[in-house]
Amino acid sequence: MTTNKSDVLSSEASGSPNATETSHVPVPIVGYLRLGDAPRLVAVECADCRARFFDRRSACASCGGVRFESVDVEPTGTIRSFTIVHVAAPGVSVPYVAAIVNCGGTSVRANIINTPADPEHIILGLPVRLGTYSLGFDDDGVEAIGFGFEPIASTKEGCLT
């Protein structure tokens, strides 16, 4: 069966499954990134000890519990630890900043984005917020979306008061 452009356009309007044939539907690069008007990270939380993880768990690494629930992670936080990477795998642009961000008590490993990768712009305690960016498109036109954290604001010293 051949589908012409008018068929696809009318199926888009009706919401039928064919709507994705020409729609732009970005795909998050990790399962715990939720896209939408307000992108967010979703962790699994142990119902017993409240430890949080970003991957599927059969048992809690902290207490051995086996009951989990999904919880939204705060979209803002502060840089707890970081390194400026100058040597990476072929094809990866350097330098970049790899960091651990404290988001309301949840530790998130991510890159710091949208700021220069140097110690004048990145410091411990720097307030940051979740940001998303395009990683590119595959041969079918599907866009992959990544996440990182970007500084909320900065002063000359790089720290808010």
Side-chain angles (χ1 to χ4, degrees):
M1 178 178 140
T2 304
T3 304
N4 64 39
K5 187 174 181 175
S6 63
D7 291 337
V8 172
L9 292 175
S10 67
S11 68
E12 285 177 349
S14 68
S16 79
N18 289 337
T20 58
E21 289 179 11
T22 60
S23 300
H24 172 72
V25 180
V27 176
I29 194 69
V30 292
Y32 52 87
L33 172 61
R34 303 297 193 272
L35 302 176
D37 291 339
R40 66 193 194 285
L41 300 177
V42 178
V44 292
E45 183 178 79
C46 175
D48 297 323
C49 73
R50 300 293 175 217
R52 290 184 175 182
F53 307 95
F54 285 107
D55 54 356
R56 186 190 165 292
R57 295 286 164 141
S58 295
C60 176
S62 295
C63 74
V66 294
R67 295 179 303 123
F68 296 92
E69 53 195 35
S70 294
V71 293
D72 287 350
V73 174
E74 289 291 322
T76 60
T78 56
I79 296 177
R80 190 169 88 188
S81 177
F82 72 93
T83 188
I84 299 173
V85 178
H86 292 277
V87 178
V92 176
S93 297
V94 292
Y96 66 89
V97 179
I100 297 175
V101 177
N102 179 356
C103 294
T106 301
S107 292
V108 181
R109 289 177 288 186
N111 290 344
I112 304 302
I113 59 175
N114 300 329
T115 194
D118 63 54
E120 293 179 14
H121 294 91
I122 308 294
I123 62 167
L124 296 178
L126 182 69
V128 292
R129 72 173 153 244
L130 181 68
T132 59
Y133 58 95
S134 176
L135 292 167
F137 293 84
D138 69 10
D139 291 340
D140 295 324
V142 177
E143 182 179 23
I145 302 294
F147 78 93
F149 286 85
E150 58 190 357
I152 292 174
S154 63
T155 65
K156 187 173 185 180
E157 294 79 33
C159 188
L160 290 178
T161 57

